[in-house]
Short mmCIF file of all heavy atoms in Angstrom, two decimals:
data_model
loop_
_atom_site.label_atom_id
_atom_site.label_comp_id
_atom_site.label_asym_id
_atom_site.label_seq_id
_atom_site.Cartn_x
_atom_site.Cartn_y
_atom_site.Cartn_z
N ASP Q 733 19.81 5.70 15.22
CA ASP Q 733 21.02 6.37 15.68
C ASP Q 733 22.17 5.43 15.82
O ASP Q 733 23.28 5.68 15.42
CB ASP Q 733 20.76 7.09 16.98
CG ASP Q 733 19.88 8.32 16.84
OD1 ASP Q 733 19.63 8.71 15.68
OD2 ASP Q 733 19.37 8.83 17.84
N LEU Q 743 32.48 2.74 7.91
CA LEU Q 743 32.91 3.30 6.67
C LEU Q 743 34.40 3.72 6.85
O LEU Q 743 35.26 3.43 5.96
CB LEU Q 743 32.07 4.52 6.33
CG LEU Q 743 32.19 5.02 4.89
CD1 LEU Q 743 31.65 3.97 3.96
CD2 LEU Q 743 31.33 6.34 4.75
N GLY Q 756 49.35 -1.28 -0.58
CA GLY Q 756 50.25 -2.42 -0.38
C GLY Q 756 50.45 -3.18 -1.70
O GLY Q 756 51.56 -3.63 -2.00
N ASP Q 760 55.35 1.24 -5.21
CA ASP Q 760 56.61 1.02 -5.92
C ASP Q 760 57.56 0.27 -5.04
O ASP Q 760 57.86 0.67 -3.94
CB ASP Q 760 57.13 2.36 -6.38
CG ASP Q 760 58.51 2.13 -7.04
OD1 ASP Q 760 58.71 1.07 -7.62
OD2 ASP Q 760 59.33 3.06 -7.02
N VAL Q 810 -0.80 2.10 26.77
CA VAL Q 810 -1.97 1.39 26.32
C VAL Q 810 -1.57 -0.07 26.23
O VAL Q 810 -0.56 -0.36 25.53
CB VAL Q 810 -2.39 1.91 24.97
CG1 VAL Q 810 -3.61 1.18 24.50
CG2 VAL Q 810 -2.61 3.44 25.03
N VAL Q 814 -1.31 -9.04 21.53
CA VAL Q 814 -1.29 -9.47 20.12
C VAL Q 814 -1.01 -10.97 20.06
O VAL Q 814 -0.06 -11.45 20.72
CB VAL Q 814 -0.21 -8.76 19.32
CG1 VAL Q 814 -0.17 -9.17 17.88
CG2 VAL Q 814 -0.39 -7.23 19.39
N GLY Q 816 -0.36 -14.16 17.52
CA GLY Q 816 -0.05 -14.50 16.18
C GLY Q 816 -0.78 -15.79 15.74
O GLY Q 816 -0.94 -16.75 16.46
N VAL Q 823 -5.85 -9.10 17.74
CA VAL Q 823 -5.46 -7.93 18.52
C VAL Q 823 -6.54 -7.68 19.60
O VAL Q 823 -7.69 -7.57 19.28
CB VAL Q 823 -5.26 -6.67 17.68
CG1 VAL Q 823 -4.93 -5.47 18.48
CG2 VAL Q 823 -4.21 -6.94 16.63
N ARG Q 842 1.79 8.38 23.12
CA ARG Q 842 1.65 7.60 24.37
C ARG Q 842 2.19 6.22 24.10
O ARG Q 842 1.99 5.63 23.04
CB ARG Q 842 0.14 7.46 24.69
CG ARG Q 842 -0.07 7.23 26.15
CD ARG Q 842 -1.62 7.41 26.41
NE ARG Q 842 -2.12 6.30 27.13
CZ ARG Q 842 -3.42 5.95 27.21
NH1 ARG Q 842 -4.34 6.67 26.58
NH2 ARG Q 842 -3.78 4.91 27.92
N LEU Q 848 2.94 -10.10 23.58
CA LEU Q 848 2.94 -10.88 22.38
C LEU Q 848 2.92 -12.40 22.68
O LEU Q 848 3.68 -12.83 23.52
CB LEU Q 848 4.14 -10.57 21.51
CG LEU Q 848 4.41 -9.11 21.21
CD1 LEU Q 848 5.74 -8.91 20.51
CD2 LEU Q 848 3.32 -8.50 20.36
N VAL Q 853 2.50 -21.44 15.62
CA VAL Q 853 3.94 -21.54 15.51
C VAL Q 853 4.58 -20.20 15.86
O VAL Q 853 3.90 -19.25 16.38
CB VAL Q 853 4.32 -21.85 14.08
CG1 VAL Q 853 3.70 -23.15 13.63
CG2 VAL Q 853 3.99 -20.76 13.07
N GLY Q 863 9.91 0.39 15.72
CA GLY Q 863 10.77 -0.33 16.61
C GLY Q 863 11.25 -1.57 16.07
O GLY Q 863 11.05 -1.87 14.85
N LEU Q 866 10.16 -8.49 17.96
CA LEU Q 866 10.08 -9.41 19.08
C LEU Q 866 9.21 -10.57 18.66
O LEU Q 866 8.15 -10.39 18.01
CB LEU Q 866 9.40 -8.67 20.31
CG LEU Q 866 9.60 -9.43 21.62
CD1 LEU Q 866 11.04 -9.68 21.97
CD2 LEU Q 866 8.93 -8.61 22.74
N PRO Q 870 4.53 -19.65 21.29
CA PRO Q 870 3.37 -20.38 21.79
C PRO Q 870 3.40 -20.61 23.31
O PRO Q 870 2.39 -20.88 23.90
CB PRO Q 870 3.32 -21.68 20.99
CG PRO Q 870 4.72 -21.88 20.56
CD PRO Q 870 5.38 -20.51 20.37
N VAL Q 873 4.73 -15.20 27.02
CA VAL Q 873 4.35 -13.94 26.57
C VAL Q 873 5.55 -12.97 26.60
O VAL Q 873 6.22 -12.92 27.67
CB VAL Q 873 3.20 -13.34 27.51
CG1 VAL Q 873 2.84 -11.95 27.09
CG2 VAL Q 873 2.03 -14.24 27.49
N GLY Q 884 -0.09 8.51 11.55
CA GLY Q 884 0.33 7.82 10.32
C GLY Q 884 -0.07 6.42 10.34
O GLY Q 884 -0.45 5.84 11.44
N ARG Q 887 3.29 0.34 8.45
CA ARG Q 887 3.12 -1.07 8.01
C ARG Q 887 3.96 -1.94 8.95
O ARG Q 887 5.12 -1.68 9.24
CB ARG Q 887 3.61 -1.19 6.61
CG ARG Q 887 3.03 -2.32 5.88
CD ARG Q 887 3.56 -2.39 4.45
NE ARG Q 887 3.80 -3.75 4.09
CZ ARG Q 887 2.85 -4.62 3.70
NH1 ARG Q 887 1.59 -4.21 3.62
NH2 ARG Q 887 3.16 -5.83 3.40
N GLU Q 914 -9.67 7.47 21.11
CA GLU Q 914 -10.77 7.21 22.05
C GLU Q 914 -12.04 6.91 21.26
O GLU Q 914 -12.79 5.96 21.59
CB GLU Q 914 -11.03 8.40 22.94
CG GLU Q 914 -9.92 8.61 24.03
CD GLU Q 914 -9.71 7.38 24.93
OE1 GLU Q 914 -10.64 6.61 25.19
OE2 GLU Q 914 -8.49 7.16 25.29
N GLN Q 920 -15.31 0.41 18.43
CA GLN Q 920 -14.93 -1.00 18.41
C GLN Q 920 -15.51 -1.81 19.57
O GLN Q 920 -15.63 -3.00 19.46
CB GLN Q 920 -13.38 -1.10 18.49
CG GLN Q 920 -12.68 -0.48 17.28
CD GLN Q 920 -12.88 -1.25 15.93
OE1 GLN Q 920 -12.83 -2.42 15.88
NE2 GLN Q 920 -13.23 -0.48 14.90
N GLN Q 922 -18.46 -1.49 20.64
CA GLN Q 922 -19.88 -1.76 20.41
C GLN Q 922 -20.10 -3.19 19.84
O GLN Q 922 -19.15 -3.75 19.33
CB GLN Q 922 -20.42 -0.82 19.36
CG GLN Q 922 -19.98 0.64 19.57
CD GLN Q 922 -21.16 1.46 20.10
OE1 GLN Q 922 -22.24 1.43 19.52
NE2 GLN Q 922 -20.92 2.22 21.16
N ARG Q 934 -30.31 -10.77 4.66
CA ARG Q 934 -30.13 -12.10 4.10
C ARG Q 934 -28.64 -12.48 4.22
O ARG Q 934 -28.28 -13.64 4.44
CB ARG Q 934 -30.59 -12.06 2.63
CG ARG Q 934 -30.15 -13.24 1.73
CD ARG Q 934 -30.83 -14.51 2.15
NE ARG Q 934 -30.18 -15.64 1.45
CZ ARG Q 934 -29.97 -16.85 2.07
NH1 ARG Q 934 -30.45 -17.08 3.26
NH2 ARG Q 934 -29.46 -17.80 1.36
N PRO Q 981 -14.86 -2.55 -1.59
CA PRO Q 981 -15.85 -3.56 -1.94
C PRO Q 981 -15.38 -4.56 -2.99
O PRO Q 981 -15.62 -5.72 -2.81
CB PRO Q 981 -17.00 -2.73 -2.42
CG PRO Q 981 -16.87 -1.42 -1.77
CD PRO Q 981 -15.40 -1.19 -1.60
N LEU Q 984 -12.96 -6.95 -1.41
CA LEU Q 984 -13.72 -7.86 -0.47
C LEU Q 984 -14.40 -8.97 -1.23
O LEU Q 984 -14.30 -10.11 -0.88
CB LEU Q 984 -14.74 -7.05 0.35
CG LEU Q 984 -15.53 -7.81 1.38
CD1 LEU Q 984 -14.55 -8.28 2.44
CD2 LEU Q 984 -16.62 -7.00 2.02
N GLN Q 992 -8.15 -18.49 -1.94
CA GLN Q 992 -6.94 -19.25 -2.33
C GLN Q 992 -6.21 -18.61 -3.55
O GLN Q 992 -5.00 -18.81 -3.67
CB GLN Q 992 -7.28 -20.71 -2.70
CG GLN Q 992 -7.82 -21.50 -1.51
CD GLN Q 992 -6.86 -21.64 -0.36
OE1 GLN Q 992 -5.63 -21.69 -0.59
NE2 GLN Q 992 -7.36 -21.67 0.82
N ALA Q 1015 -22.87 -7.44 1.01
CA ALA Q 1015 -23.62 -6.29 1.50
C ALA Q 1015 -23.59 -6.27 3.02
O ALA Q 1015 -23.41 -5.19 3.63
CB ALA Q 1015 -25.07 -6.30 0.97
#
Side-chain angles (χ1 to χ4, degrees):
Chain Q
D733 287 348
L743 198 63
D760 176 27
V810 181
V814 180
V823 179
R842 207 169 128 197
L848 310 172
V853 303
L866 192 59
V873 176
R887 205 180 140 80
E914 289 303 326
Q920 299 289 316
Q922 315 252 312
R934 166 67 192 145
L984 184 64
Q992 295 299 327

